[in-house]
């Protein structure tokens, strides 16, 4: 079964998968679990700090992609979802970057109607995970100085892109962390890389407002379903359509 998603933002909620429904690559994909139900990539977030200071330096964590199949999984793009308890975290406040080789790439977040933040790993050809192999992606995160004290849950879905469609091929564990108030001058945290004070979102953008289409994102009620609703828009360009396969 295929789910048609449009970059024009977005589909009726009736087409969004219900919570608890398994998603995996279709049988025609080379990167697919043999049982047709499980995800072919086991995905794990680990190594991150337990808290971040607003306006402080970057904290580093890792996204581990393990291929459970005998086929190569190419063009793999993780998508990170952030859900904060206070629903106060804006799309401009988390400053997330990932490493592809020695090069870093920024992740742009969008806000759903449920105030969840969704951001795709884009700007590169995608990761390649060989048969039974593991790729570990280094990720670093900082939070701007105007973020309020909060608790955040991060997780990642993994999409394998094709020319005009894509397969949902992995889903990570939850990574929970806190956001603390801006650190006092002269303090340091050994869990974070040294960095100058990170300005507020308003200082960085000049406005502090989210992307123009952020308000149009579909409301779904759960992080996993919200991810389904916005994957296409984040993983395609030029207003074309993306087909996201799903199997029960």
């Amino acid at each position: 079964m295929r789910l048609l998603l449009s970059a024009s933002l977005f589909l009726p909620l009736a087409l969004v998968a219900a919570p608890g429904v398994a998603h995996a690559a279709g049988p025609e994909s080379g990167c697919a679990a043999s049982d047709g139900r499980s995800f072919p990539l086991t995905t794990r977030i680990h190594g991150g700090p337990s808290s971040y200071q607003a306006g402080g330096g970057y904290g580093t964590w890792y996204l581990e992609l393990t291929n459970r199949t005998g086929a190569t999984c190419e063009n793999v793009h993780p998508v990170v979802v952030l859900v904060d308890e206070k629903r106060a975290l804006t799309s401009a406040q988390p400053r997330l970057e990932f490493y592809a080789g020695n090069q870093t790439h920024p992740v742009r977040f969008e806000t759903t109607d449920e105030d969840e933040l969704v951001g795709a790993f884009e700007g590169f050809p995608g990761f390649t995970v060989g048969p039974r192999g593991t790729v570990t992606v280094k990720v670093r995160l900082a939070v701007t100085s105007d973020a309020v004290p909060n608790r955040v849950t991060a997780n990642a879905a993994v999409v394998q892109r094709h020319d005009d469609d894509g397969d949902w091929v992995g889903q990570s564990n939850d990574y929970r962390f806190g956001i603390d108030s801006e650190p006092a001058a002269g303090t340091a945290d050994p869990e974070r890389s040294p960095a100058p004070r990170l300005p507020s979102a308003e200082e960085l953008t000049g406005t502090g407002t989210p992307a123009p289409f952020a308000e149009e994102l579909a409301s779904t009620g759960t992080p996993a379903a919200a991810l389904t609703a916005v994957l296409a828009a984040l993983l395609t360009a030029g207003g074309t359509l993306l087909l996201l396969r799903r199997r029960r």
Side-chain angles (χ1 to χ4, degrees), residues 94-146:
R95 315 302 290 184
L96 186 70
E97 298 178 348
F98 68 93
Y99 288 78
N102 294 324
Q103 186 174 2
T104 60
H105 299 270
V107 175
R108 186 187 70 169
F109 284 101
E110 303 296 344
T111 308
T112 72
D113 285 349
E114 296 296 320
D115 295 319
E116 298 143 344
L117 305 184
V118 183
F121 287 24
E122 283 291 86
F124 78 121
F127 298 107
T128 298
V129 189
R132 313 297 177 187
T134 297
V135 170
T136 300
V137 183
K138 182 179 179 180
V139 181
R140 64 179 192 171
L141 172 67
V143 183
T144 58
S145 61
D146 54 344

Side-chain angles (χ1 to χ4, degrees), residues 67-101:
N67 187 349
R68 302 170 57 242
T69 78
T72 297
C73 296
E74 300 177 322
N75 205 9
V76 171
H77 294 260
V79 181
V80 169
V81 180
L82 302 179
V83 182
D84 65 297
E85 289 183 354
K86 296 182 178 180
R87 295 299 196 268
L89 193 65
T90 71
S91 60
Q93 289 173 337
R95 315 302 290 184
L96 186 70
E97 298 178 348
F98 68 93
Y99 288 78

